Amino acid sequence: MPVSALSPRADRRSAGPGRGSASRRSEPALTVTLAIPLTGDAVSPQAHRLLAAVRELVELSRGTVTVEAAAVPEPEPEPVPSGPEVRLLTGSRQVLLDGEPVPLTRLEFDLLLYLAERPRRVFSRAQLLAGVWGYERAGERTVDVHVRRLRLKLGASVPAVTTVYGVGYRLADDARITIMPHD
């Protein structure tokens, strides 16, 4: 429910010699729009207090308050990812790319599983070393090598791992990866 508050402020110009009296022009000097979310069809008590406070401030300066219902935007449907589907079979530690097995090493599988279990989260190389390898003493470039090999084995048509420059890696937004706990 958007609420708009308009506060007119007089524009006073001094009268110079031979100019006559000061002119007054009433224009909105400030427009405040509040979007208050409704829970059901009711306005919360906090929102009522806020509206009352805004109304009081505006009325003191001889402004106006208008209340109108907001147009509710329709939720956009989630885009369906395109491209090959990757299935991680955790019980047998296999990876299937469109039904075909892809041979991955233990660390490549663990890296892909780690990222797939935590979508839309960016991990630094040190975090991946600690989470996948279990230690942080290896060189950070170890992660780069494993990500490169994982990308090569999955192929260019599967956007699985995205590089976040200056930070680390994350699972790609359009990756179609399904984790299957049991075969």
Side-chain angles (χ1 to χ4, degrees):
M1 161 190 349
V3 177
S4 296
L6 300 176
S7 174
R9 188 171 285 178
D11 181 21
R12 297 182 186 157
R13 295 189 179 124
S14 62
R19 291 190 180 199
S21 64
S23 65
R24 292 185 137 216
R25 190 169 39 141
S26 179
E27 290 183 10
L30 175 67
T31 300
V32 178
T33 302
L34 304 172
I36 301 173
L38 297 176
T39 53
D41 289 333
V43 177
S44 68
Q46 294 88 356
H48 276 293
R49 285 196 297 273
L50 178 63
L51 285 172
V54 168
R55 224 178 234 121
E56 183 179 341
L57 285 171
V58 170
E59 288 171 358
L60 286 174
S61 64
R62 290 182 230 109
T64 61
V65 174
T66 57
V67 179
E68 58 189 49
V72 179
E74 290 190 26
E76 294 182 21
E78 294 268 335
V80 178
S82 60
E85 181 183 19
V86 177
R87 289 182 183 232
L88 296 175
L89 309 175
T90 58
S92 62
R93 297 185 59 83
Q94 286 185 316
V95 175
L96 301 177
L97 176 62
D98 277 341
E100 296 295 319
V102 177
L104 296 181
T105 65
R106 177 185 67 83
L107 286 173
E108 291 166 347
F109 180 87
D110 290 345
L111 176 61
L112 185 58
L113 180 63
Y114 189 82
L115 293 172
E117 288 175 336
R118 297 158 184 87
R120 291 183 287 286
R121 183 163 171 211
V122 180
F123 295 97
S124 68
R125 291 174 181 90
Q127 288 173 318
L128 289 172
L129 279 171
V132 177
W133 279 259
Y135 54 87
E136 297 177 14
R137 289 183 296 271
E140 290 186 344
R141 294 299 168 198
T142 302
V143 177
D144 297 342
V145 170
H146 281 79
V147 167
R148 183 171 40 95
R149 289 181 182 163
L150 183 60
R151 286 175 174 161
L152 284 172
K153 289 182 179 181
L154 292 176
S157 63
V158 180
V161 182
T162 299
T163 302
V164 180
Y165 293 100
V167 181
Y169 298 101
R170 69 178 176 86
L171 188 71
D173 288 334
D174 49 352
R176 291 183 54 198
I177 297 181
T178 307
I179 300 172
M180 312 276 300
H182 303 290
D183 301 345

